[in-house]
């Protein structure tokens, strides 16, 4: 139970970071983000993404534009804002610190 | 074959199967509840809806697959994730935002989900009203059914209540409706449960029909319900015939009464309608017809629905009928009150007509309905011109009473006519009283009283009466013809007639009276009864005998054929018998 809880917390923590980095690569559609996240085995269901995207957008880290789709309804394409970019670079640093911290703490472990 | 529903997500139209729609709908309700009701959640929901629309769109292949089915919806939900998945990923987040969001999201879960009053088509005897009520009040359907039967037995009010509820309560046709009826929150878990149950029931029905039948035969409860069903069906048939005959009777009654209003004379005329003018009568009759016929029609239709499983009546039609029924009831009440008001005041007009003194006053009735060719110019022709031989019943009234009073022997005899009528106001009543035409006709010594009186100017029936009082000097001889007997009040014609000898009674066309200070007195003395006659005869014979004895100085009286003789001799009486003589 504790393990599960920690796992989800860890995933949850990096999910936003991953989403930001995926979007920072360029304009992207929500279902493509999901495809990427699935590839990375971070996200299983799509429904979880929308609240996150909305929250990031409301915090000014993301913006979106409507684009016509050849098949079906118009789509929302997300892009990162300058603020989001700043947050992302700060998170990059944090991530590197974390990786360092984890590596240090894992050193000398037998398995 | 499946029913499809057309839905619109983000301005794109999809055809979706009914069960798939139910699933989707409850899924969306779950999601809405999860995200709460904030501006943010609105956006999230829009995104999710858009995505669902897109996924549906991917699944549709024009010409080959144009309808979204349950499988599609389940796959889409799988991909989108259930609320439990959301909770899992958010639950551990620990962020303040999420904490807040969860609270907002939780509230609808706790919220009491109100039950809906709906008919249960899965558990029905007749229309599912009882089981629907039972669901609503959270009790076993058997109790609502027992209650209904009690109400039906107590004056039949249950039937009306049931019919109204049947019309008012919608049937729980979809799965979501059924869950609302049971008070279950229409969320995915409940929905899935309901679906699984149904699927289980369905497979049971398919796999074990034979078993089902034998089992039902075994259980006493089912046998009982079968019997009840049979009895119910018989009752339903009897009621159907009863309602049908009533409807037919009402219709015939209505048509024939209507014909009366439109000048087609027929004997079927509802007397209270006489109190209304033609226009009011048509409306009141129609109201009355509807007020009685609509419940019978509802009953009739309801029974045919049970017995022949016909379609439910269009709800607009049933609502219209219900409204018409209410209007009719109100209309009838209005007419009753309005007409009753028109009887409030009574007005009487008195008219006096002198008559010539006669040696014998002869009174008779003249039946004005009998036409007499020799009396073309008499009163009858007056009636005939006005009535033209038609509509007599509507114009002729026979509330006529005749009284006889005495006046001083030297006074001039006269007849007083009192015409009275009723109306809403005194003025109206007196106007109506004026419109009564009635007067006796004098032919030499005979006074003819018409059998009916006429109402002029199409007057309404408002309790019009004519009271005739004949004032005759004391000592006058009066001859009352038998025909006038029904109109004469205060004196008994028949008692007087009985005073005449029995043999003559049949031929006796009149009775003779004299006017005394206290009214008319029968001239004919009462006939002695046969027993009295006999006694009288015996008495007179005895008297004669005694006189005979007195005249003679002495005599022997032999009594009958016996041997006893009475000898009267010189103031002494001797009684001898033959036996004594022999001795």
């Amino acid at each position: 139970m504790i393990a599960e809880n920690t796992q989800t917390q860890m995933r949850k923590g990096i999910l936003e970071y991953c989403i930001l980095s995926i979007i920072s690569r360029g304009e992207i559609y929500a279902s493509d983000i999901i495809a990427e996240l699935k590839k990375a085995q971070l996200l299983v269901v799509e429904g979880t993404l929308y609240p996150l995207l909305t929250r990031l957008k409301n915090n000014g880290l993301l913006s979106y534009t409507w684009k016509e789709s050849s098949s079906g309804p118009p789509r929302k394409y997300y892009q990162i804002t300058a603020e989001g970019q700043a947050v992302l670079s700060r998170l990059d640093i944090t991530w590197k610190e974390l990786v360092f911290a984890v590596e240090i703490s894992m050193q000398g472990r037998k398995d | 074959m499946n029913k499809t529903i057309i839905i619109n997500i983000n301005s794109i139209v999809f055809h979706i199967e009914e069960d798939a729609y139910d699933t989707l709908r409850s899924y969306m309700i779950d999601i809405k509840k999860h995200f709460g009701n904030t501006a943010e959640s609105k956006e999230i929901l829009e995104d999710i809806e858009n995505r669902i629309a897109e996924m549906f769109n991917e699944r549709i292949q024009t010409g080959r697959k144009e309808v979204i089915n349950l499988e599609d919806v389940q796959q889409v939900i799988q991909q989108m994730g259930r609320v439990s998945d959301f909770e899992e990923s958010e639950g551990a987040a620990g962020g303040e935002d999420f904490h807040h969001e969860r609270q907002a999201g939780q509230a609808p879960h706790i919220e009491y989900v109100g039950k809906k009053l709906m008919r249960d088509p899965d558990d029905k005897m007749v229309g599912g009203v009882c089981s629907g009520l039972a669901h609503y009040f959270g009790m076993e359907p058997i109790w609502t059914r027992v209650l209904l039967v009690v109400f039906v037995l107590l004056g039949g009010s249950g039937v009306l209540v049931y019919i109204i509820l049947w019309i008012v309560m919608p049937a729980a046709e979809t799965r979501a409706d059924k869950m609302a009826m049971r008070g279950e929150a229409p969320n995915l878990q409940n929905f899935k449960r309901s679906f699984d149950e149904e699927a289980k029931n369905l497979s049971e029905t398919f796999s074990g029909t034979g078993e089902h039948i034998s089992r039902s035969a075994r259980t006493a409860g089912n046998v009982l319900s079968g019997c009840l069903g049979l009895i119910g069906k018989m009752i339903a048939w009897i009621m159907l015939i009863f309602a049908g005959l009533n409807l037919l009777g009402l219709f015939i009654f209505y048509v024939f009464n209507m014909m009366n209003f439109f000048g087609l004379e027929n004997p079927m005329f509802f007397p209270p309608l006489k109190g209304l003018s033609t226009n009011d009568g048509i409306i009141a009759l129609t109201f009355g017809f509807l007020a009685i016929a609509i419940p019978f029609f509802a009953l009739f239709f309801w029974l045919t629905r049970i017995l022949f499983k016909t379609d439910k009546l269009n709800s607009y039609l049933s609502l219209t009928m219900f409204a018409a029924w209410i209007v009719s009831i109100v209309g009838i009440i209005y007419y009753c009150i309005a007409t009753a008001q028109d009887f409030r005041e009574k007005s009487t007009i008195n008219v006096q007509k002198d008559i010539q003194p006669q040696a014998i006053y002869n009174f008779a009735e003249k039946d004005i309905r009998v036409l007499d060719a020799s009396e073309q110019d008499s009163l009858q022709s007056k009636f005939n011109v006005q009535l033209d031989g038609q509509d007599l019943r509507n114009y002729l009234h026979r509330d006529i009473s005749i009284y006889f009073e005495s006046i001083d022997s030297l006074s001039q005899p006269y007849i007083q006519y009192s015409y009275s009528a009723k109306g809403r106001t005194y003025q109206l009543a007196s106007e109506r009283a004026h419109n009564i035409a009635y007067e006796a006709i004098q032919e030499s010594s005979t006074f003819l009283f018409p059998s009916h009186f006429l109402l002029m100017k199409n007057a309404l029936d408002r309790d019009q009466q004519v009271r005739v009082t004949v004032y005759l000097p004391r000592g006058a001889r009066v001859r009352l013809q038998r025909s006038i007997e029904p109109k004469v009040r205060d004196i008994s014609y028949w008692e007087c007639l009985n005073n005449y000898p029995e043999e003559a009674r049949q031929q006796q066309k009149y009775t003779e009276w004299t006017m005394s200070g206290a009214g008319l007195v029968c001239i004919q003395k009462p006939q002695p009864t046969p027993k009295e006659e006999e006694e009288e005869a015996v008495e007179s014979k005895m008297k004669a005998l005694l006189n005979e004895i007195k005249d003679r100085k002495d005599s022997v009286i032999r009594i009958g054929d016996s041997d006893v003789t009475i000898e009267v001799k010189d103031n002494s009486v001797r009684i001898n018998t033959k036996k004594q003589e022999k001795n």
Side-chain angles (χ1 to χ4, degrees):
Chain A
M1 189 61 207
I2 289 167
E4 269 173 31
N5 204 6
T6 317
Q7 275 168 357
T8 36
Q9 279 197 22
M10 282 160 82
R11 281 220 183 89
K12 179 77 202 164
I14 59 167
L15 190 56
E16 282 171 48
Y17 174 47
C18 292
I19 290 168
L20 271 180
S21 24
I22 291 168
I23 294 172
S24 70
R25 287 185 264 161
E27 226 175 32
I28 193 165
Y29 177 52
S31 49
D32 294 333
I33 302 174
I34 288 154
E36 293 276 343
L37 289 172
K38 272 185 179 168
K39 207 162 70 187
Q41 289 181 349
L42 255 177
L43 195 67
V44 209
V45 290
E46 292 188 22
T48 330
L49 180 67
Y50 296 103
L52 285 175
L53 286 176
T54 308
R55 204 147 51 85
L56 291 172
K57 187 212 74 180
N58 285 349
N59 289 335
L61 309 183
L62 296 177
S63 67
Y64 66 85
T65 46
W66 287 103
K67 288 206 170 167
E68 290 295 324
S69 156
S70 54
S71 62
R75 297 168 158 188
K76 262 182 182 175
Y77 276 83
Y78 288 91
Q79 62 229 355
I80 198 156
T81 58
E83 201 183 334
Q85 201 71 55
V87 170
L88 184 62
S89 33
R90 268 169 59 198
L91 286 178
D92 279 339
I93 298 159
T94 316
W95 179 246
K96 273 165 196 156
E97 285 168 3
L98 279 174
V99 170
F100 175 72
V102 173
E103 270 170 5
I104 294 293
S105 56
M106 278 170 84
Q107 267 172 11
R109 267 196 352 204
K110 288 207 172 109
D111 50 4
Chain B
M1 199 170 67
N2 272 320
K3 205 163 138 189
T4 61
I5 292 168
I6 296 171
I7 56 167
N8 166 6
I9 310 175
N10 198 28
S11 326
I12 299 180
V13 170
F14 294 102
H15 290 265
I16 181 164
E17 283 178 7
E18 207 178 2
D19 49 353
Y21 170 74
D22 287 338
T23 315
L24 182 65
R25 185 164 161 261
S26 50
Y27 176 67
M28 290 312 292
I29 289 169
D30 269 5
I31 288 183
K32 267 180 202 161
K33 277 184 184 161
H34 175 73
F35 288 115
N37 199 16
T38 60
E40 197 176 86
S41 69
K42 209 179 154 197
E43 202 176 343
I44 296 167
L45 284 169
E46 259 173 34
D47 285 343
I48 290 174
E49 275 194 358
N50 276 343
R51 181 65 187 141
I52 288 172
E54 206 177 50
M55 286 193 278
F56 280 167
N57 217 23
E58 284 163 13
R59 278 157 202 281
I60 283 178
Q61 293 156 310
T62 316
R64 271 194 291 172
K65 184 181 185 305
E66 291 184 329
V67 177
I68 302 294
N69 59 28
L70 188 59
E71 201 189 334
D72 292 325
V73 170
Q74 278 169 346
Q75 280 173 9
V76 164
I77 290 171
Q78 189 86 42
Q79 204 172 338
M80 192 55 81
R82 293 177 186 279
V83 172
S84 54
D85 298 327
F86 301 170
E87 278 165 359
E88 201 178 291
S89 58
E90 285 162 11
E96 269 175 49
D97 275 0
F98 276 99
H99 188 65
H100 172 74
E101 211 170 63
R102 272 182 61 81
Q103 270 193 334
Q106 254 173 356
H109 280 288
I110 302 157
E111 189 184 54
Y112 173 72
V113 182
K115 282 181 186 176
K116 267 192 183 166
L117 184 57
M118 290 172 126
R119 288 183 290 116
D120 187 353
D122 296 335
D123 180 21
K124 66 172 182 183
M125 291 280 199
V126 180
V129 170
C130 281
S131 53
L133 283 172
H135 284 304
Y136 192 76
F137 295 111
M139 54 211 265
E140 286 288 311
I142 180 78
W143 298 117
T144 47
R145 284 182 184 134
V146 165
L147 213 64
L148 178 78
V149 169
V150 168
F151 275 117
V152 170
L153 294 178
L154 291 177
S157 56
V159 176
L160 195 68
V161 169
Y162 195 95
I163 292 168
I164 290 170
L165 284 175
W166 193 343
I167 294 167
V168 170
M169 280 163 70
E173 267 152 10
T174 66
R175 210 167 284 124
D177 283 346
K178 282 171 195 165
M179 288 195 296
M181 176 183 72
R182 289 191 207 105
E184 289 166 357
N187 57 29
L188 211 59
Q189 282 86 353
N190 280 334
F191 179 78
K192 195 171 173 300
R193 192 164 59 80
S194 148
F195 183 76
D196 289 346
E197 271 170 19
E198 196 170 284
K200 210 174 80 189
N201 288 342
L202 202 67
S203 64
E204 262 177 18
T205 335
F206 275 125
S207 62
T209 320
E211 189 195 30
H212 182 71
I213 290 166
S214 68
R215 200 172 51 206
S216 69
R218 259 185 285 132
T219 48
N222 281 352
V223 171
L224 189 69
S225 74
C227 284
L228 282 177
L230 198 70
I231 294 168
K233 221 164 207 182
M234 272 167 62
I235 293 171
W237 266 106
I238 293 166
M239 278 166 74
L240 183 76
I241 293 164
F242 166 76
L245 288 176
N246 263 305
L247 274 178
L248 190 71
L250 277 168
F251 187 72
I252 292 169
F253 177 80
Y254 177 68
V255 168
F256 276 81
N257 271 297
M258 261 323 187
M259 276 160 64
N260 267 322
F261 280 122
F262 290 106
L264 292 157
E265 284 288 301
N266 64 71
M268 201 184 277
F269 193 80
F270 190 47
L273 288 174
K274 255 203 283 191
L276 295 167
S277 66
T278 306
N279 286 340
D280 286 349
I282 289 168
I283 299 167
L285 181 63
T286 308
F287 278 164
F289 172 69
L290 288 176
I292 303 169
I294 285 176
F296 276 115
F297 180 76
L299 181 68
F300 185 79
F301 199 84
W302 176 63
L303 290 165
T304 48
R305 244 190 84 183
I306 300 165
L307 292 170
F308 307 114
K309 306 262 188 291
T310 49
D311 276 348
K312 197 182 162 192
L313 206 60
N314 182 318
S315 62
Y316 287 108
L317 190 61
S318 47
L319 266 179
T320 311
M321 271 171 50
F322 187 67
W325 185 66
I326 296 285
V327 168
S328 303
I329 297 278
V330 172
I332 286 175
I333 293 169
Y334 166 76
Y335 276 113
C336 285
I337 293 170
T339 309
Q341 285 284 307
D342 219 10
F343 281 88
R344 208 168 49 180
E345 297 288 346
K346 183 174 176 172
S347 169
T348 306
I349 295 167
N350 289 330
V351 176
Q352 277 187 26
K353 298 270 162 143
D354 284 350
I355 50 175
Q356 289 305 310
Q358 306 287 337
I360 296 174
Y361 297 89
N362 200 1
F363 295 98
E365 189 202 62
K366 192 152 189 70
D367 194 335
I368 57 163
R369 292 169 302 184
V370 178
L371 302 183
D372 193 339
S374 67
E375 293 178 334
Q376 286 288 323
D377 302 321
S378 74
L379 186 88
Q380 284 165 349
S381 60
K382 198 171 95 190
F383 287 121
N384 292 339
V385 167
Q386 283 200 349
L387 300 173
D388 201 18
Q390 266 201 348
D391 266 7
L392 235 67
R393 190 179 42 237
N394 295 348
Y395 297 93
L396 293 178
H397 297 260
R398 53 185 319 160
D399 197 347
I400 301 164
S401 44
I402 299 173
Y403 296 83
F404 291 92
E405 298 285 345
S406 66
I407 48 170
D408 200 65
S409 52
L410 290 173
S411 305
Q412 164 88 25
Y414 62 93
I415 301 176
Q416 184 184 298
Y417 300 95
S418 299
Y419 308 109
S420 67
K422 287 180 178 173
R424 197 168 53 249
T425 59
Y426 184 76
Q427 202 177 355
L428 208 61
S430 70
E431 231 167 73
R432 286 198 175 109
H434 264 297
N435 284 334
I436 301 172
Y438 188 81
E439 206 169 302
I441 323 152
Q442 188 174 1
E443 282 178 359
S444 65
S445 68
T446 304
F447 298 89
L448 289 173
F449 288 97
S451 58
H452 296 80
F453 61 86
L454 251 185
L455 297 183
M456 317 294 256
K457 299 180 191 167
N458 271 358
L460 295 172
D461 191 350
R462 286 291 177 272
D463 204 9
Q464 280 93 340
Q465 289 173 351
V466 172
R467 182 191 164 117
V468 181
T469 316
V470 182
Y471 290 91
L472 296 173
R474 225 166 285 158
R477 271 173 76 93
V478 173
R479 193 174 282 175
L480 297 179
Q481 299 292 329
R482 188 178 278 196
S483 58
I484 207 163
E485 176 270 324
K487 292 186 164 50
V488 175
R489 303 285 185 271
D490 282 357
I491 55 170
S492 173
Y493 182 89
W494 296 111
E495 227 166 73
C496 187
L497 186 66
N498 281 339
N499 291 351
Y500 286 84
E502 203 169 348
E503 318 81 58
R505 245 176 251 165
Q506 287 300 320
Q507 275 74 46
Q508 192 70 34
K509 291 278 185 265
Y510 57 84
T511 51
E512 285 193 301
W513 309 70
T514 44
M515 183 54 81
S516 76
L520 286 182
V521 175
C522 190
I523 291 176
Q524 187 73 26
K525 287 285 161 271
Q527 290 290 315
T529 60
K531 204 181 168 192
E532 278 172 351
E533 269 172 36
E534 207 175 276
E535 275 171 18
E536 234 167 66
V538 170
E539 213 170 283
S540 59
K541 225 175 182 178
M542 292 252 290
K543 248 182 202 166
L545 205 65
L546 282 174
N547 283 340
E548 210 179 330
I549 293 167
K550 221 192 256 172
D551 288 347
R552 290 199 203 163
K553 275 283 176 211
D554 52 281
S555 66
V556 178
I557 299 162
R558 177 182 283 259
I559 296 170
D561 292 333
S562 68
D563 297 329
V564 181
T565 53
I566 304 166
E567 227 181 301
V568 183
K569 207 183 228 173
D570 301 335
N571 297 332
S572 66
V573 178
R574 256 173 70 183
I575 297 169
N576 305 318
T577 62
K578 274 244 166 99
K579 273 182 189 168
Q580 280 178 325
E581 274 177 5
K582 270 179 191 169
N583 291 339

